[in-house]
Amino acid sequence: MKKNIVIIGTGGTIAGKASSATETLHYTSAILSVNSLIHEIPEIHKIVHVTGEQLSQIDSCDMTCGIWLQLAARVNELLASNKVDGIVITHGTDTLEETAYFLNLVIQSQKPVVLVGAMRPVTAMSADGPMNLYNAVTLAANDKSIGKGVLVALNDTVNCSREVTKTNTMLQDSFQAPDLGYLGYIQGGIPYFYRLPARRHTLCSEFDCRGITDLPKVEIIYGYVDSSPIIAEAAVKAGAKGLIYAGLGNGNMSQDIRKGLINIEKQGVVIVRSTRVSSGIVTRNGAVHDDEYHFVVSDTLSPQKARILLMLALLTTNDPVEIQRMFWEY
Ligand code: ASP
């Protein structure tokens, strides 16, 4: 029996248009409606019942926590219906990994949710969007995708939302999980899984954003030679309840930054040590005495994903011990 898949459009290059077929770099994102994208892949009707819904029409650089909350509410509502078997979300690639990880933590269903984007606009010669969308729909319609958390499908690969990242500004194989690897591939409309997400997600997640209209403010501070705490202090002045420090090496910091962050933590702001390095675990109590300073470490989460987990954690607690537990589990 054919599955019922809803495709939610949010914008991005997958819905973008340029002035000619050879133009792949100068174009406008978020022009075509989700129904036009579905129209481009008539083959899809042979395998699923598909309906389109437009939630936003933006370049994903303009994604906001407000839109995330609306998207999560709509996905949860659709998946609660026995008339919907899975969801595909079309999205710009710049922040796709963030939206995917956010949904991975707040969707209360085992049913497949797949995010998809494209590196080339629809008008480009050899556009990647139509095949990526076709693959994403086949992934969302496949029973093997049930219970695997929110997935990301681009360039014939299946990725875990916790680990996937955009690795290249323009190439079509930009979406990878360089640290821990793809979950699998899609070939001939069939997903092949080789690994499973090991961390808590979706139905096993403790995060619930129903009824929430905004998320606590968390800013990211970048580590570099001779950096000072002024940006961190300005962020706190502007209302940040948590800071992610994208540190040097193993989340390391200069003495100057350390003093600044210790002082900020004493004001009740949660400090998470992440890293600007693209892979590896940030070691708790390594070169930095996290127990003594009440810092949290991000495990292997990138700074932008650590920010999402911290925002959700801060909805219920600002206790660094409890928040550290969450970083080990999600
Ligand atoms: N700026 C675009 C966006 O994120 C890039 C893309 O979709 O590839 O919406």
Side-chain angles (χ1 to χ4, degrees):
M1 214 171 57
K2 281 191 197 172
K3 297 274 183 83
N4 295 310
I5 303 296
V6 179
I7 305 183
I8 300 180
T10 70
T13 296
I14 194 168
K17 281 177 111 177
S19 55
S20 76
T22 51
E23 183 56 80
T24 57
L25 301 173
H26 302 101
Y27 58 88
T28 312
S29 282
I31 302 285
L32 290 180
S33 68
V34 69
N35 285 329
S36 315
L37 300 185
I38 296 170
H39 189 70
E40 299 282 320
I41 47 166
E43 299 78 6
I44 208 69
H45 301 292
K46 290 189 196 143
I47 52 174
V48 292
H49 293 295
V50 71
T51 43
E53 273 192 32
Q54 197 77 43
L55 187 109
S56 65
Q57 187 63 305
I58 55 169
D59 185 301
S60 78
C61 299
D62 295 317
M63 186 49 72
T64 63
C65 295
I67 300 175
W68 275 353
L69 291 165
Q70 280 173 32
L71 180 60
R74 185 61 186 143
V75 171
N76 275 327
E77 181 181 36
L78 285 167
L79 293 181
S81 158
N82 56 15
K83 297 199 177 84
V84 176
D85 299 305
I87 306 262
V88 170
I89 299 168
T90 61
H91 199 289
T93 60
D94 290 344
T95 61
L96 188 149
E97 69 201 63
E98 293 179 53
T99 301
Y101 186 55
F102 172 73
L103 295 175
N104 192 55
L105 298 178
V106 299
I107 295 305
Q108 282 133 4
S109 174
Q110 296 245 69
K111 293 179 187 173
V113 177
V114 180
L115 270 85
V116 62
M119 294 299 290
R120 292 183 174 170
V122 181
T123 42
M125 204 183 280
S126 179
D128 51 338
M131 185 52 107
N132 282 351
L133 182 55
Y134 179 83
N135 277 342
V137 172
T138 63
L139 182 62
N142 198 295
D143 284 347
K144 288 186 212 157
S145 307
I146 294 170
K148 297 204 169 53
V150 173
L151 300 170
V152 172
L154 277 94
N155 203 40
D156 300 349
T157 63
V158 182
N159 281 286
C160 169
S161 49
R162 183 185 184 277
E163 279 126 34
V164 70
T165 191
K166 184 173 184 175
T167 63
N168 189 285
T169 55
M170 55 183 208
L171 297 181
Q172 289 177 75
D173 67 349
S174 181
F175 278 76
Q176 302 192 13
D179 201 9
L180 298 164
Y182 302 129
L183 292 185
Y185 298 107
I186 306 171
Q187 254 195 0
I190 300 168
Y192 295 88
F193 282 90
Y194 300 90
R195 299 193 308 113
L196 298 178
R199 297 303 179 97
R200 290 175 71 177
H201 60 73
T202 55
L203 262 194
C204 293
S205 169
E206 70 199 84
F207 301 110
D208 182 359
C209 59
R210 274 174 299 186
I212 304 280
T213 53
D214 208 359
L215 295 173
K217 202 173 173 61
V218 173
E219 299 290 348
I220 298 174
I221 309 295
Y222 205 79
Y224 46 88
V225 167
D226 214 9
S227 50
S228 84
I230 55 171
I231 298 178
E233 284 157 8
V236 173
K237 230 185 207 161
K241 303 284 179 259
L243 295 180
I244 306 297
Y245 177 62
L248 309 167
N250 199 346
N252 294 324
M253 53 187 71
S254 66
Q255 296 190 35
D256 207 17
I257 291 278
R258 194 179 59 206
K259 274 185 219 138
L261 294 182
I262 289 171
N263 193 30
I264 287 171
E265 193 284 328
K266 287 191 178 131
Q267 298 163 46
V269 176
V270 178
I271 308 290
V272 176
R273 285 198 304 117
S274 176
T275 176
R276 67 180 200 175
V277 176
S278 61
S279 59
I281 302 171
V282 175
T283 315
R284 189 166 173 87
N285 297 317
V288 179
H289 299 152
D290 298 295
D291 286 351
E292 186 183 336
Y293 308 142
H294 311 290
F295 291 168
V296 174
V297 292
S298 67
D299 191 356
T300 63
L301 284 181
S302 65
Q304 60 272 28
K305 290 187 188 169
R307 173 176 174 262
I308 293 164
L309 183 53
L310 181 55
M311 288 192 294
L312 288 171
L314 286 168
L315 288 172
T316 52
T317 181
N318 68 352
D319 173 5
V321 174
E322 180 63 355
I323 294 176
Q324 184 64 73
R325 193 251 324 143
M326 293 169 179
F327 272 84
W328 293 137
E329 291 182 5
Y330 290 89

